[in-house]
Amino acid sequence: MRERLTPRKVRQRRLEKAAKEALSGEKTAMARLLTDDEPTAPKQPRVVVGHEYVRWVRRRVVADGRPAPSYGFDLEAVLTACAQAQRLLWLRRILMALACGAAGLCAWTPVAYLAPLVVLAGLWAAFWTDRTLAQRRLRTVFDDHGGEAWGAEVPRRFQDAVERIRDASYGDVVPYRNQVRSSGARYHFVGAGKVWFETQIGIDVMPARSRDDDAGDEGDSGSSRIPPSVADLLTGAHTGSGVVEFTPDDLHAHVARELQRPIAPLRDFHPDSAQEVFGVAAISAERWEMLTPDRWEGLVSLARDGVRAADAQRAPKVARRFLCARMTSWDGELVASLFVGFAYENHYLRVVVRPHVVNPVHPVLREAEKKASASGWAWQRRTAYLAAVDTGWFVVRLFKRARAGDQEPEQDPGTGPVSLREAYSTRHMDDMLQYDDARRYIEMMQGRVLASVDGFLVGHNVDTGAYRERITVVLNSGVINTGEMSNVQNQPGAVGSQQSSGGAK
């Protein structure tokens, strides 16, 4: 007989069902929490090594003779090493051709059955010679610390790139790429590393108010800020009546001087870090390959002299000037950069700060130094074994060609300019001390930039009340307290944040 359900029983069953679902959800959340607490090794991006690396550098990095700026290492030394590896490749091919020729001659003798063995032995000798000479050259570089060991002549295919690297204007023009993510768009300066966070501050430029005006507004401190009227903005448009006139280039020069102000550190305590401050012209990566020599000169003038330079009048149509402050440490493994943009138009000032940090080099490259320092019979046995593996892999490659994706690093976008240092970096900064130093450099440079802007505005009789409100949010609870290891989407003031940023724009 079917049970009759009363409203009381229906309500009781619903409560029991809700209790079971809540208990099940708690168990699932606890299991997920325990799983998340388990340490997991970060999966590093795929990179190519050996002669595939040389081909990739020639095809992507220096194809058009205009490589993207490199930070933390000398790209010319890399090109020289690639040239030496190319010579080793030709030597190996000659030895392989001799081995095949010797096998062909052996086929016309009574011991023709030994021809396959002659081919395999010749291939093994070619690969063994290639590995031995490469390891010896690498040890020479490490022992010489990259000095006179790079004395080899650069081939013609690298000449244009080397001349541009040696040019005094190399690094003045920087391409940027838009990285669309679930948390919003991030604008990444190619070569500067990972985008950490972004600070955006915008204020209406109005004359500073007198103390009587400030006292009269104390009772209205709890109300929201009223946008200024057109009359208030135009009060300082005339010389001597309010705001002292200035341009973005004036603000750029002031902040650069403040960052370069000499500070006497304790040499026995502070680490050896080099800070650089210079102007750059940012241009979209899609326009990088279309740069002509005349356009390049215009962008260099924009970076060095500002938008009012005679040769840079047409450059602002497709480019903008940024102030770059950069700290290099850990023997080039850690590079922290700050790109600051100033825009001032229609009495509205906007300051955008985009920090980038270059992660350490890939673990595959770290193993190269360890293997290059090895010697003795153990290394000889391993080299002989690896030469045999190369021989077998060469035979396999005759029948199975490599896929296109296996011939380029995973972090290569495939089109446009690419940074060699970024493509061969780790996915995350796993060293605690390096991460602490990176945060310290970014906080130091960003704090000084914001303070310099405040001092400039005060000196030009600008009301800094709104500006200080915004930087207070940034410094205390905003984007400066988050890094590439944190969830920037949930931070106040960050790009794509779901929280209120307290008026930050």
Side-chain angles (χ1 to χ4, degrees):
M1 187 175 179
R2 188 175 181 180
E3 182 183 2
R4 183 181 178 183
L5 297 178
T6 62
R8 182 177 181 183
K9 289 183 178 181
V10 172
R11 190 181 305 108
Q12 185 177 1
R13 289 189 178 184
R14 288 179 178 177
L15 293 176
E16 292 177 355
K17 184 178 179 180
K20 290 181 180 180
E21 292 179 353
L23 181 60
S24 176
E26 290 179 0
K27 291 181 178 179
T28 304
M30 183 61 68
R32 188 183 300 110
L33 180 60
L34 294 176
T35 303
D36 293 342
D37 287 341
E38 292 294 330
T40 56
K43 183 181 179 182
Q44 300 298 345
R46 183 189 69 255
V47 295
V48 293
V49 295
H51 295 292
E52 285 78 8
Y53 167 81
V54 177
R55 298 189 186 98
W56 176 78
V57 170
R58 185 177 67 247
R59 183 179 69 255
R60 291 288 291 120
V61 179
V62 297
D64 58 349
R66 200 184 298 277
S70 60
Y71 305 114
F73 73 104
D74 186 6
L75 189 57
E76 182 180 352
V78 175
L79 300 183
T80 306
C82 290
Q84 296 174 354
Q86 194 74 21
R87 294 188 181 94
L88 288 179
L89 175 62
W90 284 108
L91 176 61
R92 190 185 72 186
R93 288 177 176 177
I94 292 175
L95 294 178
M96 294 170 66
L98 292 177
C100 294
L105 295 177
C106 183
W108 295 93
T109 63
V111 291
Y113 59 90
L114 295 178
L117 182 61
V118 173
V119 172
L120 293 178
L123 293 178
W124 176 88
F127 285 112
W128 181 85
T129 303
D130 182 48
R131 284 184 170 274
T132 302
L133 294 180
Q135 192 263 0
R136 182 178 302 175
R137 191 63 181 173
L138 192 59
R139 290 190 61 181
T140 303
V141 171
F142 285 137
D143 294 340
D144 191 48
H145 301 287
E148 299 179 357
W150 302 112
E153 182 180 358
V154 179
R156 293 181 180 179
R157 63 187 61 183
F158 292 154
Q159 283 293 343
D160 292 342
V162 171
E163 290 178 0
R164 294 186 185 277
I165 293 171
R166 293 175 179 176
D167 188 6
S169 63
Y170 179 68
D172 290 344
V173 184
V174 181
Y176 66 87
R177 194 185 308 276
N178 185 9
Q179 296 179 339
V180 180
R181 303 185 181 183
S182 59
S183 59
R186 291 190 184 182
Y187 296 96
H188 160 234
F189 288 87
V190 178
K194 260 195 171 182
V195 185
W196 270 34
F197 43 77
E198 181 177 303
T199 301
Q200 305 175 13
I201 300 176
I203 62 169
D204 291 302
V205 177
M206 298 184 301
R209 295 180 297 179
S210 62
R211 295 183 178 180
D212 296 336
D213 296 337
D214 294 337
D217 294 339
E218 288 181 358
D220 300 333
S221 59
S223 60
S224 59
R225 182 178 177 85
I226 302 176
S229 62
V230 177
D232 294 335
L233 293 176
L234 295 179
T235 302
H238 306 285
T239 305
S241 61
V243 176
V244 179
E245 294 183 353
F246 66 93
T247 64
D249 291 338
D250 297 334
L251 180 56
H252 179 108
H254 174 82
V255 175
R257 287 193 302 268
E258 291 298 318
L259 291 178
Q260 293 175 323
R261 186 182 298 276
I263 301 176
L266 300 176
R267 298 186 179 275
D268 297 335
F269 174 75
H270 288 271
D272 186 13
S273 301
Q275 178 180 350
E276 303 171 83
V277 181
F278 55 95
V280 297
I283 187 172
S284 174
E286 299 178 355
R287 304 176 184 270
W288 184 259
E289 297 178 355
M290 298 184 295
L291 289 178
T292 61
D294 293 339
R295 292 180 179 177
W296 180 268
E297 293 299 328
L299 294 175
V300 172
S301 300
L302 173 65
R304 295 180 177 179
D305 304 325
V307 70
R308 291 190 173 185
D311 298 335
Q313 289 296 330
R314 60 185 180 275
K317 298 296 183 182
V318 297
R320 295 292 183 272
R321 189 188 190 196
F322 281 81
L323 176 66
C324 178
R326 189 171 64 202
M327 294 287 295
T328 305
S329 184
W330 289 75
D331 295 330
E333 284 196 15
L334 174 60
V335 182
S337 303
L338 206 69
F339 292 87
V340 188
F342 305 104
Y344 180 43
E345 189 176 5
N346 293 331
H347 301 280
Y348 187 81
L349 175 65
R350 183 175 176 84
V351 181
V352 181
V353 182
R354 294 187 172 96
H356 291 60
V357 176
V358 177
N359 286 342
V361 295
H362 199 278
V364 173
L365 303 183
R366 298 176 187 175
E367 291 293 328
E369 184 175 2
K370 184 187 301 182
K371 294 179 180 179
S373 60
S375 59
W377 286 106
W379 182 87
Q380 294 290 346
R381 289 194 300 269
R382 179 175 175 80
T383 303
Y385 167 74
L386 293 177
V389 174
D390 292 339
T391 303
W393 182 244
F394 173 77
V395 176
V396 173
R397 289 282 294 271
L398 293 177
F399 303 95
K400 182 181 179 181
R401 305 303 299 175
R403 295 178 299 178
D406 297 336
Q407 299 179 4
E408 59 185 19
E410 183 178 345
Q411 300 191 91
D412 181 8
T415 57
V418 61
S419 169
L420 177 64
R421 180 64 174 85
E422 289 180 349
Y424 281 80
S425 299
T426 57
R427 194 180 301 275
H428 303 284
M429 186 175 293
D430 53 356
D431 192 300
M432 179 188 68
L433 301 181
Q434 287 184 347
Y435 179 67
D436 290 342
D437 287 349
R439 286 175 59 95
R440 176 164 53 87
Y441 294 150
I442 295 299
E443 290 177 2
M444 176 192 66
M445 291 187 295
Q446 177 165 289
R448 292 179 180 176
V449 166
L450 298 179
S452 301
V453 173
D454 180 76
F456 179 86
L457 296 179
V458 171
H460 285 72
N461 196 34
V462 177
D463 182 12
T464 59
Y467 176 80
R468 292 179 179 179
E469 290 178 3
R470 285 156 176 74
I471 65 174
T472 300
V473 174
V474 171
L475 296 176
N476 292 340
S477 60
V479 294
I480 204 170
N481 291 325
T482 178
E484 61 105 17
M485 290 186 178
S486 304
N487 184 7
V488 297
Q489 186 175 1
N490 294 327
Q491 296 292 335
V495 177
S497 174
Q498 304 298 325
Q499 302 182 27
S500 174
S501 59
K505 297 183 180 180

